[in-house]
Amino acid sequence: MCRKEITTKRNFNVKMSKSEVVAAVLPIQEHWLPLSNLDLLLPPLDVGVIFCYQNPISVTTKLEFGSMVRILKSSLAETLVIYYAFAGEIVQNLGGEPEVLCNNSGVNFTEAFADVELKDINFYNPDESIEGKLVPKKKHGVLAVQVTQLKCGGLVVGCTFDHRVADAYSANLFLVSWSELAQSKPLSQLPSFRRSFLFPRRPGYYDDSIDGLYVPIPTLPSVKPETLNPNDLAISRIYYITGEKMGHLQALANRDQKSTKFQRSKLESFSAYLWKTIACGSKETSNSKNFRFGIVVDGRARLSNGDDNQEKLLKGYFGNVLSIPFGNKKIEELKEKPLSWVANSIHEFIEKAVTREHFLGLIDWVEAHRPEQAVAKIYATDDDGPAVVVSSGQQFPAREIDFGWGEPVFWSYHFPWAGKSGYVMPMPSPKGNGDWIVYMHLMKWQLELIETSASHVVKPVTANYLNLM
C-alpha cells in the first residue's frame, strides 16, 4: 500500500490510498506481439481519458465505493484476457524496434480520494484539475487505471494508455468491452490483433506525396520550456460548442457550394473556423509566414475496399490505423479568404488520404525506411510557424461506458503532449443534444485569442452547463 498527497493552486487534494496490479483473470501464454508499420509512426506518448459519474448511491443503486472498485477490478481482469496487449509491456526487440511482450504483467490500478465535489471540479482547466490528479501517471506497462472517489460520493474513472499500442478507436473498443463485462453483458465487438491486415506489399510502392506528410527522424524534436516565451507554452482547456453554433459554422463553410452533394462536414467546418481564427491572430515573421493544419484520418474503413467481410474484421482491429494529412497555407491568405475557401482547402487535403491506396502506400513507406523511426511531419515542426492537428472524437462511445451505476455525466480525452504542434479533439456532449465538447491543447496565446475573438462560438465547460449544480 502506498500513500501520497497531491496539491495544486486550488484547494483540491487527491490522496492515493491503495495501488496494486490487476492482471488477466486467466493465464496468458507469454508471447510477442509486433507493432505494425503504422504503430511504428508513433513515438512514446501516453494518452489519458476520464469518465465522471454522479453519486451512484443517490441515483439508482446502493453501491458503495468499495463495491464499485471490486466490480471495476474483477471486470478489468476479465477484459484483459481478451485485450491481453494492455496487460503486457513494451520492450525493444533485437532490431531495436518496440514490440509488446504479452506476459500478463498487469495494469497498475490505483484507488484515490479527492476532497472536492463533482460540481466544483474545474473541467475548463484540465491542467489544474485533471493532470496528475484524476488521470494516472503510467509508470510501467501499457495501461494504468485510477478510480477516484469524490467528497460528494461521485466517482471518476481515469485511464492512461500508450499510444504506440492503441489509437483512440482501439481504446474505445476496450472501454466498451470493460463496461459490458462489468454488467455481465455479452461483448458487442471482439478485438482483432491480426497484424496481417497491415503487412507491407511485396514489392512495396508508395506515392511521392507520402514524403510530404511523414519524415524519418530519430526522435521528436524536444522543446525546452525555458527557451520559450510564456505565451508560447502549450496549455489545455475544455470548451463546448452548441449544436446551433455548429450548424451556423457549417452553413458559412458551405456558402459557395452549389450542390448538397459537395457539402462540407461539421468537422471540416469547425476545423476551417479554428484554422482561420488562429491565423487572424497570428503575426507573420521572416521565419513564420505559413500555418499548417492537419486532420487525423482513420484507415479501417478505407482498407476494407468495400469488402463486407474485411470491413467486419477491420472494425475490431486493435492498434493504430491512422494518417495525418495536412495543408500548409500562408497566414495572410487564411486571413483574407472566406471560411468556405478554408473549408474547401481542408476537404482537398483530407480527400487525398481517405483512400485504400494512401494507407497501403503509407505502410510501404514505413517499411522502406525501417528501422529508422519516422513521424508525421506536422508534429516535427522546427520553426516558429503555428501547426494544429484535429482528431475527431465524435464516435466516442462515452454513453456506453456504464459499469452498472449509470452513464457518465462528463468525459474527455486528455493529451497534453510536449510537442509544439497543437492538438484538438471534439467529442459529443453528455447532453446528447448535438453540442460538442472540445478538448484543446494549444499555445497559450492561441487559446487567449480563441476566447477573445471566438467567445460567441466556443465557451468554457462549467458545472452549470453540465447540469451539476
Side-chain angles (χ1 to χ4, degrees):
M1 181 178 293
C2 66
R3 297 185 66 89
K4 71 174 181 177
E5 186 171 295
I6 303 173
T7 60
T8 63
K9 294 180 292 184
R10 290 173 64 86
N11 187 24
F12 172 8
N13 301 322
V14 178
K15 295 181 179 179
M16 311 300 181
S17 60
K18 186 177 182 182
S19 183
E20 61 184 285
V21 173
V22 174
V25 68
L26 295 177
I28 296 176
Q29 185 176 0
E30 183 172 302
H31 66 284
W32 293 88
L33 179 66
L35 297 184
S36 75
N37 280 13
L38 298 185
D39 292 326
L40 294 174
L41 288 172
L42 275 297
L45 291 172
D46 288 337
V47 181
V49 61
I50 65 163
F51 300 91
C52 302
Y53 302 86
Q54 287 184 307
N55 187 348
I57 298 175
S58 64
V59 181
T60 58
T61 72
K62 297 297 182 182
L63 291 174
E64 296 181 349
F65 181 67
S67 300
M68 291 185 285
V69 167
R70 284 191 291 273
I71 290 173
L72 289 169
K73 283 182 184 176
S74 60
S75 55
L76 175 60
E78 290 183 63
T79 312
L80 292 174
V81 174
I82 306 160
Y83 291 84
Y84 49 83
F86 269 158
E89 54 187 329
I90 292 187
V91 296
Q92 297 294 317
N93 62 20
L94 295 178
E97 294 179 331
E99 287 191 4
V100 182
L101 175 58
C102 300
N103 57 0
N104 199 22
S105 62
V107 171
N108 188 262
F109 189 103
T110 302
E111 299 172 39
F113 174 79
D115 62 345
V116 65
E117 295 190 10
L118 184 59
K119 65 180 179 64
D120 294 325
I121 295 177
N122 185 4
F123 293 117
Y124 157 69
N125 185 352
D127 292 337
E128 184 179 277
S129 61
I130 295 174
E131 174 67 15
K133 304 184 96 175
L134 300 178
V135 171
K137 291 290 185 182
K138 184 175 66 60
K139 298 179 181 178
H140 66 271
V142 181
L143 172 70
V145 175
Q146 179 180 316
V147 183
T148 307
Q149 182 184 26
L150 306 177
K151 188 166 64 173
C152 59
L155 191 77
V156 179
V157 177
C159 302
T160 301
F161 63 91
D162 194 314
H163 203 336
R164 292 174 294 178
V165 177
D167 55 15
Y169 183 97
S170 303
N172 292 345
L173 290 177
F174 165 79
L175 290 164
V176 171
S177 295
W178 183 12
S179 61
E180 288 172 339
L181 289 175
Q183 297 190 70
S184 301
K185 293 181 178 179
L187 296 184
S188 55
Q189 177 70 58
L190 289 172
S192 170
F193 297 91
R194 284 178 54 184
R195 296 304 192 231
S196 59
F197 288 134
L198 304 183
F199 278 176
R201 295 171 291 190
R202 303 293 185 189
Y205 168 79
Y206 60 88
D207 189 84
D208 291 343
S209 61
I210 302 293
D211 286 319
L213 299 179
Y214 290 84
V215 57
I217 56 172
T219 58
L220 273 174
S222 59
V223 181
K224 297 180 179 179
E226 62 269 18
T227 66
L228 294 175
N229 182 293
N231 282 332
D232 289 334
L233 294 175
I235 59 176
S236 298
R237 295 291 184 265
I238 301 178
Y239 304 95
Y240 74 90
I241 303 175
T242 66
E244 181 183 2
K245 292 295 183 182
M246 278 307 312
H248 179 64
L249 289 182
Q250 190 174 22
L252 290 175
N254 286 293
R255 177 167 288 178
D256 297 331
Q257 298 299 333
K258 298 180 180 179
S259 170
T260 56
K261 180 180 179 181
F262 303 105
Q263 289 286 296
R264 300 298 167 241
S265 68
K266 288 183 179 179
L267 181 67
E268 290 172 326
S269 303
F270 163 74
S271 298
Y273 180 74
L274 188 63
W275 197 3
K276 183 175 178 63
T277 298
I278 297 177
C280 287
S282 301
K283 296 180 180 179
E284 287 190 44
T285 68
S286 57
N287 297 323
S288 173
K289 294 184 178 181
N290 293 342
F291 184 174
R292 291 184 285 183
F293 199 98
I295 306 285
V296 177
V297 176
D298 189 298
R300 287 170 175 81
R302 282 82 190 185
L303 286 168
S304 64
N305 199 31
D307 185 312
D308 291 342
N309 186 53
Q310 187 85 338
E311 183 178 354
K312 184 178 179 180
L313 292 171
L314 279 166
K315 189 177 179 181
Y317 180 80
F318 187 94
N320 287 280
V321 196
L322 305 175
S323 181
I324 310 178
F326 66 89
N328 190 15
K329 298 295 183 181
K330 293 185 180 299
I331 291 175
E332 195 59 35
E333 196 172 30
L334 291 166
K335 290 180 179 179
E336 295 173 351
K337 297 290 186 179
L339 187 67
S340 57
W341 181 89
V342 183
N344 288 340
S345 299
I346 286 176
H347 182 80
E348 287 173 8
F349 71 71
I350 291 178
E351 196 172 32
K352 296 175 183 177
V354 292
T355 66
R356 182 171 184 265
E357 184 56 41
H358 171 81
F359 279 91
L360 292 177
L362 180 55
I363 293 167
D364 291 345
W365 184 91
V366 175
E367 188 68 15
H369 291 85
R370 290 175 65 180
E372 192 171 12
Q373 186 181 2
V375 72
K377 187 173 285 188
I378 194 169
Y379 286 152
T381 178
D382 57 359
D383 55 32
D384 295 327
V388 173
V389 172
V390 172
S391 178
S392 175
Q394 286 303 312
Q395 302 305 314
F396 190 26
R399 288 185 174 276
E400 300 176 41
I401 315 302
D402 179 354
F403 296 100
W405 44 80
E407 297 178 358
V409 295
F410 180 74
W411 52 70
S412 179
Y413 267 93
H414 184 61
F415 190 34
W417 80 301
K420 290 180 66 176
S421 301
Y423 181 84
V424 176
M425 177 176 269
M427 294 159 280
S429 167
K431 291 190 171 185
N433 60 354
D435 291 0
W436 284 15
I437 294 291
V438 186
Y439 170 84
M440 295 191 186
H441 183 71
L442 299 173
M443 297 296 177
K444 186 173 182 289
W445 70 265
Q446 293 172 343
L447 288 173
E448 290 176 346
L449 173 68
I450 289 169
E451 293 187 5
T452 301
S453 60
S455 60
H456 60 295
V457 175
V458 179
K459 298 183 181 299
V461 165
T462 62
N464 186 55
Y465 169 76
L466 296 171
N467 298 322
L468 298 177
M469 302 302 291

